[in-house]
Amino acid sequence: MKIISDIQEMQLFVRQAKEKGMSIGLVPTMGSLHEGHLTLMRQAKKSCDVVVTSIFVNPTQFGPTEDFAKYPRDLSGDSEQAAKAGVDVIFHPQPEEMYPAGYSSFIEINGITQKLCGLSRPGHFRGVATVVTKLFNIVQPDKAFFGQKDAQQVLVLKRMVTDLNMNVTLEVVPIVREKDGLAMSSRNAFLSPEERKAALVLSQSLQLAQKLVNQGQVDAQNIKEQVILKIKQEKLAQIDYVEVYSYPQLENLDVIGDKALLALAVRIGNTRLIDNTILEG
Ligand code: AMP
């Protein structure tokens, strides 16, 4: 497995692979790899000849008071795991390589970015869309792999690929969870043992919602209130948002009939975690 940090070297590698007729799969990550990331990489390996994973903690998707500086970084541990998952190249540029002095171009997607994480993290999706566009331009993947863990991100990127006629297929992988239900996340490493237990309230409240819907409670507002009540029972939890929207349109809805996205962002101590599920009435 190669580790490339230089954009031109990455582009040369891609050109040579394409000349040999090889298909390319890209798995964008911020590193500190866990089973969720590795599942995306294994999936990529199944359908692409060459798998490139980017490990880049992207400064433009973090707000000024967010955890960019302390985001966990572990390139050597990541390299070992990525190699085992079948990755051929880790693309690991420095921030100055991606955003040199004078950098001025950004991608903005309207509409679906004006809710959920787009509201609580202004500028986040502008940063995500920009870095993903740059990665697509550099790596020229046939397919790019993303996790349903970031459900809104997937919808934003699908919108972008459609609107801007990008020649790449997006593949979405279901949420990978710990045995007790906690969605895997690099930020789980920030949780103290007590917070780790408290964090279970996210997946448990999603399960509660699905149970209520299965029992015939399909009033979206009521489901949302039950989820909020459940989360408020956990004293270490602070709700950022709990929302139920139609899926995949992300529009307001009264009754859960077809698919609905129940999405939440909750702070456990100082760590902001997100989780979601698709409810079906
Ligand atoms: P990140 O490094 O957190 O930016 O995540 C990189 C990619 O891995 C994104 O497409 C995420 O949606 C995906 N991902 C992160 N956690 C999980 C998980 N628990 N299950 C599935 N995909 C995940």
Side-chain angles (χ1 to χ4, degrees):
M1 191 188 66
K2 277 167 105 77
I3 300 181
I4 297 178
S5 55
D6 181 85
I7 292 174
Q8 284 187 0
E9 194 183 337
M10 188 67 243
Q11 287 173 316
L12 177 65
F13 177 93
V14 165
R15 207 159 46 242
Q16 289 171 342
K18 290 203 177 235
E19 275 165 16
K20 291 184 202 142
M22 293 171 129
S23 61
I24 297 181
L26 171 66
V27 182
T29 82
M30 298 205 297
S32 200
L33 300 180
H34 53 65
E35 199 51 38
H37 298 117
L38 300 174
T39 305
L40 298 182
M41 292 166 192
R42 288 189 210 105
Q43 193 70 29
K45 194 66 185 179
K46 276 188 206 157
S47 62
C48 302
D49 299 320
V50 174
V51 177
V52 178
T53 190
S54 54
I55 294 184
F56 180 59
V57 185
N58 173 36
T60 64
Q61 71 189 67
F62 288 80
T65 61
E66 293 181 358
D67 56 358
F68 171 72
K70 68 167 191 161
Y71 195 84
R73 291 161 170 89
D74 175 19
L75 186 61
S76 73
D78 287 353
S79 309
E80 240 174 74
Q81 299 204 67
K84 281 193 208 139
V87 167
D88 298 285
V89 179
I90 290 179
F91 179 49
H92 178 62
Q94 291 306 304
E96 317 78 72
E97 176 78 357
M98 291 292 266
Y99 302 109
Y103 188 90
S104 313
S105 305
F106 294 89
I107 302 285
E108 272 188 39
I109 291 96
N110 293 323
I112 51 167
T113 56
Q114 260 87 67
K115 47 190 75 169
L116 303 172
C117 288
L119 278 186
S120 36
R121 304 185 69 187
H124 172 67
F125 288 116
R126 180 181 191 253
V128 169
T130 300
V131 79
V132 169
T133 299
K134 285 174 68 71
L135 291 169
F136 285 176
N137 285 336
I138 295 165
V139 177
Q140 311 240 327
D142 299 278
K143 294 182 182 177
F145 295 77
F146 296 90
Q148 180 66 12
K149 160 91 190 318
D150 298 87
Q152 188 180 16
Q153 171 172 280
V154 167
L155 295 175
V156 169
L157 294 176
K158 281 186 171 168
R159 186 77 256 162
M160 176 182 87
V161 164
T162 302
D163 288 353
L164 299 182
N165 313 102
M166 293 179 169
N167 198 13
V168 56
T169 303
L170 301 193
E171 301 273 351
V172 183
V173 172
I175 302 176
V176 179
R177 297 180 178 280
E178 301 283 358
K179 277 202 183 76
D180 60 7
L182 179 68
M184 292 199 180
S185 163
S186 306
R187 289 190 171 95
N188 292 349
F190 293 141
L191 302 171
S192 69
E194 196 192 356
E195 289 170 343
R196 172 66 182 74
K197 271 188 216 141
L200 282 180
V201 77
L202 280 87
S203 55
Q204 286 172 353
S205 68
L206 297 178
Q207 285 163 14
L208 168 70
Q210 186 60 66
K211 194 172 120 199
L212 294 172
V213 172
N214 291 347
Q215 288 169 355
Q217 294 195 42
V218 288
D219 182 287
Q221 187 59 31
N222 181 256
I223 293 292
K224 189 172 142 175
E225 280 163 18
Q226 303 277 347
V227 168
I228 290 172
L229 271 180
K230 167 87 184 158
I231 297 172
K232 283 191 170 166
Q233 282 167 13
E234 173 48 67
K235 65 178 189 328
L236 294 181
Q238 193 74 41
I239 294 174
D240 177 350
Y241 64 72
V242 173
E243 296 293 348
V244 181
Y245 286 122
S246 65
Y247 185 80
Q249 302 80 6
L250 295 197
E251 282 161 4
N252 290 331
L253 96 179
D254 298 328
V255 172
I256 297 166
D258 288 340
K259 287 183 178 174
L261 176 72
L262 167 57
L264 30 105
V266 177
R267 225 167 257 288
I268 304 288
N270 290 325
T271 307
R272 182 179 177 278
L273 300 176
I274 58 170
D275 203 347
N276 72 83
T277 193
I278 307 290
L279 300 171
E280 282 185 71

